[in-house]
Amino acid sequence: MRVINSVKEMQQWSQEQRRSGNRLGLVPTMGFLHQGHLSLVRLARADCDKVIVSIFVNPMQFGPNEDLEDYPRDLKRDLTLLEAEGVDAVFNPEPAEMYPDGFSSAVTIEGEIAQKLCGSSRPGHFRGVTTVVCKLFNICLPDKAYFGQKDAQQVMVLEKMVRELNFPLEIIRGPIVREEDGLAMSSRNTYLNEEQRQQALVLSRSLNAAQAAIEGGERDPAKIKALLWEYIEASPLAEVDYIEIYDGEELRDINTIECPALIALAVRFGKTRLIDNLLVEG
C-alpha cells in the first residue's frame, strides 16, 4: 500500500494507473476509520481495479466553534486497517498542501439542497465539502467515488455537483452501518460518555418508529415529525438541532410522504452533534 502526501505525486500515480487501463475507486474520509468507512472500501474493492482512500481532516468544512482541533485522529491505526482491506493508495496531505498560501477558490452549490438541514445549522459547511471533494476528484481521478448514506444531504449535494459540473465519474452510496444496538457509526461517537451513548439510541429507535408508522399507512409529514419529537424529547440529554422530512432527491418541501422521501435528524448529546436519517423508498 502506497501512502502519498503530495498532490503532484497523487495525480501522477492516478494517471499512471489509468494509462494502464485500471479503473479507480476513491473513498474520501477524514480518518479515524470505523466499519462504515471500511464497508465503502469493500464496495470500491469489488467494483474497481485500484482503490484510493483519502484521509484529510478538511478545515474548510468546520465552523469557528466546531471540533476541528479535537476531531479524533489515529493515522497509524487507519493505515493498518486499510492495508488489511487491500487498499492500493492512501492520500494523506497536510492542510497547506491542499490549501497553499493565497488559496481563494471555492465550489458552491446553490438552492435548497445545500441550504436546509446541515446547510442551515452549519453555515459554510457544504462550501467546504464541495470544494475539497472537487479537489480530491481532480487529484485522484476516480471512475467511482464512494460515500455513506448516513451523510445523506452531503451525498445529494455531491451528486448534484457531479451532475451539473460534468465530472466523468459515478458516485456510489453505501448503506448506513450501525452498531449492534442501532447507533449509526460515526467517528464522533467516541466523544459520548456512557450515559450519552445510551441515550443516543433514541435516534435509531425514533426512525424505526417512523418507518413502522409509514408502513402502517401514515403519510402526513407533520404526524411523523410529531412522533419523532415525542420519542427524542423523552431522552433528557437530547437537544434537537433539526427533525425534518423532505423530498429525497432535492430536499423540496412535501405535503405528503411519497417515495423517495428523506427523514433527517440532527441531535446534540452534550457537545456532540449526531446525525441520522431514513430514506423512504418504494
Side-chain angles (χ1 to χ4, degrees):
M1 185 176 71
R2 186 164 172 177
V3 180
I4 300 173
N5 305 115
S6 82
V7 167
K8 183 176 180 180
E9 183 182 350
M10 188 70 248
Q11 283 180 323
Q12 289 175 340
W13 186 89
S14 295
Q15 288 167 345
E16 290 169 3
Q17 298 304 319
R18 292 178 69 90
R19 282 195 294 267
S20 297
N22 291 318
R23 290 178 57 78
L24 305 183
L26 171 65
V27 182
T29 82
M30 293 204 300
F32 209 72
L33 305 179
H34 52 66
Q35 287 299 316
H37 298 112
L38 299 182
S39 71
L40 299 177
V41 171
R42 292 166 194 147
L43 288 176
R45 179 81 280 162
D47 286 348
C48 302
D49 302 303
K50 300 291 182 180
V51 176
I52 306 164
V53 175
S54 63
I55 297 177
F56 179 61
V57 181
N58 176 33
M60 196 172 178
Q61 70 190 66
F62 286 78
N65 299 313
E66 295 185 337
D67 58 340
L68 174 60
E69 298 304 321
D70 295 330
Y71 194 84
R73 296 164 171 86
D74 191 339
L75 181 61
K76 182 177 179 181
R77 171 182 168 274
D78 289 345
L79 295 178
T80 299
L81 290 171
L82 295 176
E83 190 159 27
E85 294 292 338
V87 168
D88 298 284
V90 175
F91 181 46
N92 178 225
E94 292 294 326
E97 180 71 9
M98 293 292 279
Y99 304 120
D101 287 344
F103 185 90
S104 60
S105 300
V107 176
T108 303
I109 303 299
E110 303 291 346
E112 291 182 326
I113 197 168
Q115 294 172 354
K116 293 179 174 178
L117 304 177
C118 291
S120 174
S121 60
R122 301 181 68 188
H125 172 70
F126 285 118
R127 180 175 181 270
V129 170
T130 49
T131 299
V132 77
V133 172
C134 179
K135 286 175 67 69
L136 289 171
F137 288 169
N138 286 328
I139 293 164
C140 299
L141 307 176
D143 295 282
K144 296 186 178 185
Y146 297 79
F147 297 88
Q149 175 63 25
K150 184 178 76 69
D151 298 296
Q153 185 182 16
Q154 172 177 279
V155 182
M156 295 167 71
V157 168
L158 293 173
E159 288 172 339
K160 185 177 180 68
M161 181 185 79
V162 164
R163 183 171 62 250
E164 293 185 349
L165 297 185
N166 306 114
F167 280 94
L169 60 89
E170 180 182 4
I171 287 184
I172 306 296
R173 295 192 191 197
I176 297 174
V177 178
R178 300 184 180 276
E179 304 285 356
E180 289 186 6
D181 58 10
L183 184 67
M185 289 189 176
S186 169
S187 299
R188 290 186 169 94
N189 290 348
T190 59
Y191 297 161
L192 300 170
N193 63 34
E194 185 175 348
E195 185 177 8
Q196 291 167 342
R197 172 68 176 72
Q198 187 62 33
Q199 291 202 22
L201 299 179
V202 73
L203 299 183
S204 59
R205 290 171 181 170
S206 66
L207 290 173
N208 289 340
Q211 176 84 67
I214 292 167
E215 290 175 352
E218 182 60 69
R219 289 291 184 272
D220 185 341
K223 291 182 179 179
I224 296 297
K225 285 175 67 174
L227 174 66
L228 291 162
W229 274 100
E230 181 181 353
Y231 262 82
I232 293 173
E233 287 189 321
S235 175
L237 298 181
E239 180 183 347
V240 174
D241 184 346
Y242 61 72
I243 298 174
E244 299 291 355
I245 303 176
Y246 294 120
D247 151 73
E249 295 179 344
E250 292 283 341
L251 296 186
R252 292 182 293 266
D253 293 333
I254 55 176
N255 295 317
T256 186
I257 296 175
E258 299 175 347
C259 301
L262 181 71
I263 303 175
L265 314 174
V267 181
R268 294 185 186 276
F269 296 87
K271 295 182 179 180
T272 305
R273 180 180 181 276
L274 300 180
I275 61 173
D276 205 343
N277 67 81
L278 170 66
L279 185 62
V280 181
E281 300 180 282

